[in-house]
Amino acid sequence: DSGVTQTPKHLITATGQRVTLRCSPRSGDLSVYWYQQSLDQGLQFLIQYYNGEERAKGNILERFSAQQFPDLHSELNLSSLELGDSALYFCASSVAWDYTFGSGTRLTVV
Amino acid sequence: EDQVTQSPEALRLQEGESSSLNCSYTVSGLRGLFWYRQDPGKGPEFLFTLYSAGEEKEKERLKATLTKKESFLHITAPKPEDSATYLCAVRAGNAGNMLTFGGGTRLMVKP
């Protein structure tokens, strides 16, 4: 157990729907990062939050959004889902330069 | 733009056959080069962080080295349980401190 908890582990949904992925960082970590990993691409950085504030944005689609709550857990919201959004979504948390990844959420859009 | 390229994309080795994986990078202001191991369907598992050219780190059969342009992950006498995808990532000195990943090397070690 890495200490980073992601739920759900698997999610199957239809095109056009909206889903929410949840991440609880390691105790004490203030930064949360979201990554997408699809079959034909490596890990792509989506967005980072630090202590509730958005810190950096990567290649995140406008249909996607995220937030970090006062208890430091984070949610990634994916809307108007398309087949191409099927992927593994990973959350990582860090303190200083120590990054730890969760086990991911596998999203399948049908 | 930060770029990380890993080679080869896939590598098949016999048990005990040593080899090296390459990670070439272009980044403005390297603040760390990271190696992770990823098993199918699981999250990346941290292996090493290297910060400056000339630095080396070892863990069991793995040894990571760093130059100003690339890093190598040397695998000595690999075992089947070393089969996994090995990911290289860099952290640049920009706002956010996110990691930029390479495409990975899929390693298969046959008994």
PDB file of all heavy atoms in Angstrom, chain A residues 57-74:
ATOM      1  N   LYS A  57      -1.139  23.266 -14.768  1.00  0.00           N
ATOM      2  CA  LYS A  57      -2.024  22.550 -15.679  1.00  0.00           C
ATOM      3  C   LYS A  57      -1.212  21.977 -16.817  1.00  0.00           C
ATOM      4  O   LYS A  57      -0.323  22.636 -17.342  1.00  0.00           O
ATOM      5  CB  LYS A  57      -3.060  23.518 -16.260  1.00  0.00           C
ATOM      6  CG  LYS A  57      -4.427  23.436 -15.655  1.00  0.00           C
ATOM      7  CD  LYS A  57      -5.392  24.347 -16.395  1.00  0.00           C
ATOM      8  CE  LYS A  57      -6.781  24.176 -15.850  1.00  0.00           C
ATOM      9  NZ  LYS A  57      -7.755  25.040 -16.524  1.00  0.00           N
ATOM     10  N   GLY A  58      -1.561  20.753 -17.191  1.00  0.00           N
ATOM     11  CA  GLY A  58      -0.922  20.133 -18.339  1.00  0.00           C
ATOM     12  C   GLY A  58      -1.904  20.022 -19.469  1.00  0.00           C
ATOM     13  O   GLY A  58      -2.686  20.930 -19.732  1.00  0.00           O
ATOM     14  N   ASN A  59      -1.901  18.882 -20.135  1.00  0.00           N
ATOM     15  CA  ASN A  59      -2.785  18.672 -21.285  1.00  0.00           C
ATOM     16  C   ASN A  59      -4.175  18.219 -20.846  1.00  0.00           C
ATOM     17  O   ASN A  59      -4.656  17.173 -21.242  1.00  0.00           O
ATOM     18  CB  ASN A  59      -2.185  17.623 -22.219  1.00  0.00           C
ATOM     19  CG  ASN A  59      -0.848  18.073 -22.772  1.00  0.00           C
ATOM     20  OD1 ASN A  59      -0.653  19.239 -23.070  1.00  0.00           O
ATOM     21  ND2 ASN A  59       0.090  17.152 -22.881  1.00  0.00           N
ATOM     22  N   ILE A  60      -4.817  19.018 -20.051  1.00  0.00           N
ATOM     23  CA  ILE A  60      -6.138  18.656 -19.538  1.00  0.00           C
ATOM     24  C   ILE A  60      -7.209  19.271 -20.422  1.00  0.00           C
ATOM     25  O   ILE A  60      -7.169  20.454 -20.756  1.00  0.00           O
ATOM     26  CB  ILE A  60      -6.307  19.086 -18.067  1.00  0.00           C
ATOM     27  CG1 ILE A  60      -7.614  18.547 -17.494  1.00  0.00           C
ATOM     28  CG2 ILE A  60      -6.155  20.593 -17.902  1.00  0.00           C
ATOM     29  CD1 ILE A  60      -7.725  18.644 -15.988  1.00  0.00           C
ATOM     30  N   LEU A  61      -8.163  18.423 -20.840  1.00  0.00           N
ATOM     31  CA  LEU A  61      -9.245  18.877 -21.697  1.00  0.00           C
ATOM     32  C   LEU A  61     -10.190  19.793 -20.920  1.00  0.00           C
ATOM     33  O   LEU A  61     -10.306  19.693 -19.702  1.00  0.00           O
ATOM     34  CB  LEU A  61     -10.019  17.675 -22.230  1.00  0.00           C
ATOM     35  CG  LEU A  61      -9.218  16.670 -23.084  1.00  0.00           C
ATOM     36  CD1 LEU A  61     -10.061  15.439 -23.368  1.00  0.00           C
ATOM     37  CD2 LEU A  61      -8.747  17.322 -24.365  1.00  0.00           C
ATOM     38  N   GLU A  62     -10.886  20.656 -21.659  1.00  0.00           N
ATOM     39  CA  GLU A  62     -11.837  21.557 -21.000  1.00  0.00           C
ATOM     40  C   GLU A  62     -12.986  20.786 -20.368  1.00  0.00           C
ATOM     41  O   GLU A  62     -13.622  21.273 -19.425  1.00  0.00           O
ATOM     42  CB  GLU A  62     -12.383  22.566 -22.016  1.00  0.00           C
ATOM     43  CG  GLU A  62     -11.372  23.636 -22.387  1.00  0.00           C
ATOM     44  CD  GLU A  62     -12.009  24.768 -23.173  1.00  0.00           C
ATOM     45  OE1 GLU A  62     -13.247  24.828 -23.237  1.00  0.00           O
ATOM     46  OE2 GLU A  62     -11.261  25.596 -23.718  1.00  0.00           O
ATOM     47  N   ARG A  63     -13.257  19.572 -20.859  1.00  0.00           N
ATOM     48  CA  ARG A  63     -14.322  18.727 -20.288  1.00  0.00           C
ATOM     49  C   ARG A  63     -13.924  18.137 -18.941  1.00  0.00           C
ATOM     50  O   ARG A  63     -14.751  17.558 -18.248  1.00  0.00           O
ATOM     51  CB  ARG A  63     -14.633  17.567 -21.253  1.00  0.00           C
ATOM     52  CG  ARG A  63     -15.089  18.000 -22.622  1.00  0.00           C
ATOM     53  CD  ARG A  63     -15.441  16.806 -23.491  1.00  0.00           C
ATOM     54  NE  ARG A  63     -14.289  16.084 -23.997  1.00  0.00           N
ATOM     55  CZ  ARG A  63     -13.908  14.883 -23.579  1.00  0.00           C
ATOM     56  NH1 ARG A  63     -14.586  14.259 -22.626  1.00  0.00           N
ATOM     57  NH2 ARG A  63     -12.869  14.271 -24.121  1.00  0.00           N
ATOM     58  N   PHE A  64     -12.651  18.279 -18.601  1.00  0.00           N
ATOM     59  CA  PHE A  64     -12.154  17.725 -17.347  1.00  0.00           C
ATOM     60  C   PHE A  64     -11.905  18.862 -16.356  1.00  0.00           C
ATOM     61  O   PHE A  64     -11.441  19.945 -16.737  1.00  0.00           O
ATOM     62  CB  PHE A  64     -10.846  16.974 -17.565  1.00  0.00           C
ATOM     63  CG  PHE A  64     -10.924  15.753 -18.436  1.00  0.00           C
ATOM     64  CD1 PHE A  64     -12.114  15.348 -19.005  1.00  0.00           C
ATOM     65  CD2 PHE A  64      -9.790  14.992 -18.668  1.00  0.00           C
ATOM     66  CE1 PHE A  64     -12.193  14.218 -19.810  1.00  0.00           C
ATOM     67  CE2 PHE A  64      -9.844  13.861 -19.476  1.00  0.00           C
ATOM     68  CZ  PHE A  64     -11.038  13.485 -20.044  1.00  0.00           C
ATOM     69  N   SER A  65     -12.155  18.595 -15.098  1.00  0.00           N
ATOM     70  CA  SER A  65     -11.845  19.588 -14.067  1.00  0.00           C
ATOM     71  C   SER A  65     -11.468  18.855 -12.792  1.00  0.00           C
ATOM     72  O   SER A  65     -11.736  17.660 -12.645  1.00  0.00           O
ATOM     73  CB  SER A  65     -13.041  20.506 -13.813  1.00  0.00           C
ATOM     74  OG  SER A  65     -14.117  19.760 -13.281  1.00  0.00           O
ATOM     75  N   ALA A  66     -10.839  19.559 -11.892  1.00  0.00           N
ATOM     76  CA  ALA A  66     -10.433  18.937 -10.634  1.00  0.00           C
ATOM     77  C   ALA A  66     -10.534  19.955  -9.511  1.00  0.00           C
ATOM     78  O   ALA A  66     -10.654  21.160  -9.745  1.00  0.00           O
ATOM     79  CB  ALA A  66      -9.003  18.404 -10.737  1.00  0.00           C
ATOM     80  N   GLN A  67     -10.511  19.460  -8.305  1.00  0.00           N
ATOM     81  CA  GLN A  67     -10.429  20.327  -7.149  1.00  0.00           C
ATOM     82  C   GLN A  67      -9.799  19.564  -6.001  1.00  0.00           C
ATOM     83  O   GLN A  67      -9.785  18.327  -5.994  1.00  0.00           O
ATOM     84  CB  GLN A  67     -11.810  20.859  -6.759  1.00  0.00           C
ATOM     85  CG  GLN A  67     -12.868  19.817  -6.540  1.00  0.00           C
ATOM     86  CD  GLN A  67     -14.236  20.457  -6.273  1.00  0.00           C
ATOM     87  OE1 GLN A  67     -14.320  21.552  -5.710  1.00  0.00           O
ATOM     88  NE2 GLN A  67     -15.294  19.784  -6.669  1.00  0.00           N
ATOM     89  N   GLN A  68      -9.288  20.323  -5.039  1.00  0.00           N
ATOM     90  CA  GLN A  68      -8.722  19.741  -3.829  1.00  0.00           C
ATOM     91  C   GLN A  68      -9.444  20.375  -2.644  1.00  0.00           C
ATOM     92  O   GLN A  68      -9.550  21.595  -2.544  1.00  0.00           O
ATOM     93  CB  GLN A  68      -7.226  19.981  -3.728  1.00  0.00           C
ATOM     94  CG  GLN A  68      -6.570  19.256  -2.550  1.00  0.00           C
ATOM     95  CD  GLN A  68      -5.066  19.472  -2.479  1.00  0.00           C
ATOM     96  OE1 GLN A  68      -4.552  20.483  -2.948  1.00  0.00           O
ATOM     97  NE2 GLN A  68      -4.346  18.521  -1.905  1.00  0.00           N
ATOM     98  N   PHE A  69      -9.888  19.538  -1.748  1.00  0.00           N
ATOM     99  CA  PHE A  69     -10.720  19.972  -0.642  1.00  0.00           C
ATOM    100  C   PHE A  69      -9.889  20.289   0.605  1.00  0.00           C
ATOM    101  O   PHE A  69      -8.710  19.941   0.655  1.00  0.00           O
ATOM    102  CB  PHE A  69     -11.761  18.887  -0.340  1.00  0.00           C
ATOM    103  CG  PHE A  69     -12.723  18.679  -1.476  1.00  0.00           C
ATOM    104  CD1 PHE A  69     -12.425  17.813  -2.523  1.00  0.00           C
ATOM    105  CD2 PHE A  69     -13.933  19.373  -1.528  1.00  0.00           C
ATOM    106  CE1 PHE A  69     -13.302  17.632  -3.580  1.00  0.00           C
ATOM    107  CE2 PHE A  69     -14.813  19.192  -2.574  1.00  0.00           C
ATOM    108  CZ  PHE A  69     -14.499  18.332  -3.602  1.00  0.00           C
ATOM    109  N   PRO A  70     -10.505  20.945   1.609  1.00  0.00           N
ATOM    110  CA  PRO A  70      -9.744  21.295   2.821  1.00  0.00           C
ATOM    111  C   PRO A  70      -9.074  20.107   3.506  1.00  0.00           C
ATOM    112  O   PRO A  70      -8.033  20.271   4.134  1.00  0.00           O
ATOM    113  CB  PRO A  70     -10.809  21.937   3.716  1.00  0.00           C
ATOM    114  CG  PRO A  70     -11.774  22.541   2.753  1.00  0.00           C
ATOM    115  CD  PRO A  70     -11.831  21.569   1.605  1.00  0.00           C
ATOM    116  N   ASP A  71      -9.660  18.916   3.391  1.00  0.00           N
ATOM    117  CA  ASP A  71      -9.006  17.753   4.012  1.00  0.00           C
ATOM    118  C   ASP A  71      -7.922  17.174   3.095  1.00  0.00           C
ATOM    119  O   ASP A  71      -7.351  16.131   3.398  1.00  0.00           O
ATOM    120  CB  ASP A  71     -10.031  16.680   4.371  1.00  0.00           C
ATOM    121  CG  ASP A  71     -10.679  16.055   3.143  1.00  0.00           C
ATOM    122  OD1 ASP A  71     -10.440  16.545   2.018  1.00  0.00           O
ATOM    123  OD2 ASP A  71     -11.420  15.066   3.295  1.00  0.00           O
ATOM    124  N   LEU A  72      -7.642  17.839   1.989  1.00  0.00           N
ATOM    125  CA  LEU A  72      -6.583  17.553   1.008  1.00  0.00           C
ATOM    126  C   LEU A  72      -6.916  16.449   0.013  1.00  0.00           C
ATOM    127  O   LEU A  72      -6.129  16.211  -0.909  1.00  0.00           O
ATOM    128  CB  LEU A  72      -5.238  17.249   1.689  1.00  0.00           C
ATOM    129  CG  LEU A  72      -4.705  18.381   2.554  1.00  0.00           C
ATOM    130  CD1 LEU A  72      -3.385  17.967   3.206  1.00  0.00           C
ATOM    131  CD2 LEU A  72      -4.510  19.653   1.715  1.00  0.00           C
ATOM    132  N   HIS A  73      -8.080  15.781   0.170  1.00  0.00           N
ATOM    133  CA  HIS A  73      -8.412  14.830  -0.866  1.00  0.00           C
ATOM    134  C   HIS A  73      -8.775  15.591  -2.140  1.00  0.00           C
ATOM    135  O   HIS A  73      -9.134  16.777  -2.087  1.00  0.00           O
ATOM    136  CB  HIS A  73      -9.513  13.856  -0.421  1.00  0.00           C
ATOM    137  CG  HIS A  73     -10.914  14.286  -0.741  1.00  0.00           C
ATOM    138  ND1 HIS A  73     -11.668  15.070   0.103  1.00  0.00           N
ATOM    139  CD2 HIS A  73     -11.680  14.036  -1.829  1.00  0.00           C
ATOM    140  CE1 HIS A  73     -12.852  15.279  -0.436  1.00  0.00           C
ATOM    141  NE2 HIS A  73     -12.896  14.666  -1.613  1.00  0.00           N
ATOM    142  N   SER A  74      -8.652  14.915  -3.265  1.00  0.00           N
ATOM    143  CA  SER A  74      -8.886  15.572  -4.548  1.00  0.00           C
ATOM    144  C   SER A  74      -9.860  14.749  -5.382  1.00  0.00           C
ATOM    145  O   SER A  74      -9.958  13.532  -5.218  1.00  0.00           O
ATOM    146  CB  SER A  74      -7.567  15.728  -5.305  1.00  0.00           C
ATOM    147  OG  SER A  74      -7.768  16.321  -6.575  1.00  0.00           O
TER     148      SER A  74
END
